[in-house]
Amino acid sequence: MSFSLPDFRRKWSCRGYMSAGAAMVTVGLGLSLMLPEPVSARKYAAPLDIFGLGAPRPRAPVHLARIPLPKPRPEQAPKGPERGPDKTVPAADGKPSPDKPSPDEPSADKSGADKPVEAAPPPEKQASACRLALTEEIAIAPSIPEIRGAGGCGGEDLVRLEAIVLPDRRKVPVKPAAVLRCTMASAIADWVRTDMVPLATSLGSTIADLDNFDSFECRGRNRIAGAMLSEHGKANALDVRAIKLANGQSIGLTDRAMSREVRERVLHSVCSRFTTVLGPGSDWYHEDHIHLDLAQRRNDYRICQWNVWDPLPQVAPLLPAERPEEAPPREVAARPETKDGGDEETAKRAAPADKPAADAGQGQSPRKPVTKKRR
């Protein structure tokens, strides 16, 4: 017995039933996919959610924590004082509590509400270690407000150095008073007290005052327009011209009439204390004074340019020396005698000059000047 597909179709013709069944199966599957289903029941993403736009995957249920409530107040507990809207809580001693004032007294908040709110003053800046160390036993240097100028000019922790107090309590005024930073003022005071006082003692006197040539000035170096800001503009430099002594003598730091040994002692002392020392020989801006400052440089580099020139040679005085008292009196030179006939020749020479005057006295007209005829 042979079996083939055509024989099957010829004997059992069910093409229509098979097509209808396939259609029913397809519709059933579609309805099963389209029927709403709660998201919480799904354990997978939607089958047709190709681009991930469907509902998100469910998360684990969140259990809310319950906050325990306080227990009710027991009946046997003592009752507290009743508080009304205008009543204050009495304290243990019977006085009203300071937290809430009584209605009879004026409230501070109400009185202060009418007044304008005042700005709180800025906190005071703490004094620096230099300011605390620079006491009146070392120098008279009151503090001044900080200065802020254009181009970084000025500075903070400034003082006005008015005088230096020596170890024996004598005051050496700085004329005029110098505006400096506290560190620079402290260095100047220590230099005068430690090095210059023994120098003045060796000269047989004491220091009277310090000649301040220049201190704070908002300018460029050497007063050149457009130059870098000078240390004078930072209140970190002082120009000294001389140190005056009590006996009237003056130690001119650049005076060639001063002893070379004295000037060299000053040179060694300032170059060991200050980072910059400029004097004669550095440039022609510092030929008549000494520049001192505490500029900070890399690797603690220092500049000490001050040539101590030799004293000037002794020049002979222009006026002659005074005549000694034991010298013999000076003789007056006599006039030379004239020869015979000398007076007659002098009279003849003077006669032509007197003749016109005599002629004029006799009434004769004076001669007319000779004029040339025109051709």
Side-chain angles (χ1 to χ4, degrees), residues 41-92:
R42 297 179 186 175
K43 298 181 180 180
Y44 52 86
L48 299 180
D49 189 7
I50 301 174
F51 301 100
L53 301 178
R57 293 186 178 184
R59 297 180 180 179
V62 179
H63 300 282
L64 299 178
R66 294 183 179 180
I67 301 175
L69 298 177
K71 295 181 179 181
R73 184 181 182 85
E75 297 180 357
Q76 60 273 18
K79 296 182 180 181
E82 296 181 359
R83 296 185 182 182
D86 297 335
K87 295 182 179 180
T88 59
V89 180

Side-chain angles (χ1 to χ4, degrees), residues 345-363:
E345 294 177 359
T346 303
K348 290 181 180 180
R349 292 175 182 176
D354 299 335
K355 189 175 182 180
D359 297 341
Q362 294 178 1

Side-chain angles (χ1 to χ4, degrees), residues 6-21:
D7 295 339
F8 177 80
R9 289 179 178 177
R10 186 176 61 255
K11 291 181 179 181
W12 295 282
S13 178
C14 59
R15 179 178 300 177
Y17 297 103
M18 294 179 64
S19 300

Side-chain angles (χ1 to χ4, degrees), residues 146-170:
E146 62 181 26
I147 300 175
R148 297 296 179 188
C153 185
E156 57 184 8
D157 196 15
L158 303 179
V159 300
R160 184 173 60 253
L161 184 60
E162 300 177 355
I164 300 170
V165 182
L166 300 183
D168 57 357
R169 303 295 182 180
R170 289 186 302 105

Side-chain angles (χ1 to χ4, degrees), residues 285-363:
Y285 297 100
H286 301 89
E287 292 296 324
D288 57 348
H289 66 276
I290 303 300
H291 171 91
L292 308 174
D293 68 46
L294 291 175
Q296 298 294 329
R297 300 183 183 88
R298 187 180 301 175
N299 298 328
D300 196 19
Y301 182 75
R302 293 170 173 260
I303 297 176
C304 183
Q305 297 178 356
W306 177 9
N307 294 336
V308 179
W309 305 117
D310 293 330
L312 293 174
Q314 297 293 332
V315 180
L318 301 178
L319 298 177
E322 296 182 0
R323 184 178 179 83
E325 296 179 357
E326 59 273 9
R330 295 177 179 176
E331 297 180 357
V332 180
R335 292 183 180 180
E337 296 180 358
T338 57
K339 299 180 180 179
D340 298 340
D343 296 338
E344 296 178 358
E345 294 177 359
T346 303
K348 290 181 180 180
R349 292 175 182 176
D354 299 335
K355 189 175 182 180
D359 297 341
Q362 294 178 1

